[in-house]
Amino acid sequence: MARPAVSDTKKKTSAVKGVITQYMDRRNANEEYMAEKLGIAKKTFRSKMEDPGRFSVEQLAMVANILQIPQKVNFFIGAEPQEENVDEIAKAIVLAVQRLEGYK
């Protein structure tokens, strides 16, 4: 029996979670610290980490600032592209998050 294919949305949310987790580890930031900085409950932060599509665009921007994630990091592939246009990456992030939140 074949395994069902992982959806594109699932891949993207997994990549977002991976990037955030990676930089939380690098910066020694725990869930409590992140929740406090975002102005949300620790339980809410944990819930959003389980489904990163629940983060608002503003919250993702705050996470990037809090964790000092370099602008060249693409949240959705978890890589550091060589010479990508930062504006194009930002647009892609906004569009992807909007899709995850159900906007068209």
Side-chain angles (χ1 to χ4, degrees):
M1 187 166 164
R3 288 182 17 190
V6 178
S7 73
D8 196 40
T9 300
K10 195 79 157 167
K11 289 178 187 175
K12 288 177 182 176
T13 57
S14 180
V16 171
K17 182 177 180 178
V19 169
I20 294 171
T21 301
Q22 176 185 9
Y23 278 90
M24 283 178 65
D25 289 344
R26 285 184 181 183
R27 309 293 187 229
N28 294 319
N30 60 27
E31 291 176 343
E32 187 174 336
Y33 174 81
M34 293 300 296
E36 180 182 319
K37 290 293 188 180
L38 290 169
I40 59 178
K42 180 180 174 183
K43 182 178 178 179
T44 303
F45 178 78
R46 186 178 298 131
S47 173
K48 288 182 184 236
M49 282 298 290
E50 288 301 314
D51 179 10
R54 295 180 58 208
F55 280 111
S56 69
V57 174
E58 293 83 9
Q59 287 173 328
L60 282 177
M62 289 174 68
V63 167
N65 284 329
I66 293 165
L67 296 175
Q68 300 171 357
I69 299 173
Q71 289 182 344
K72 65 181 178 177
V73 171
N74 185 327
F75 265 104
F76 297 100
I77 61 174
E80 297 184 25
Q82 290 293 326
E83 292 291 325
E84 283 201 52
N85 182 324
V86 174
D87 292 330
E88 292 300 317
I89 293 172
K91 287 178 193 175
I93 290 172
V94 169
L95 289 173
V97 170
Q98 287 175 343
R99 281 189 213 115
L100 292 173
E101 292 179 346
Y103 298 107
K104 300 246 174 187

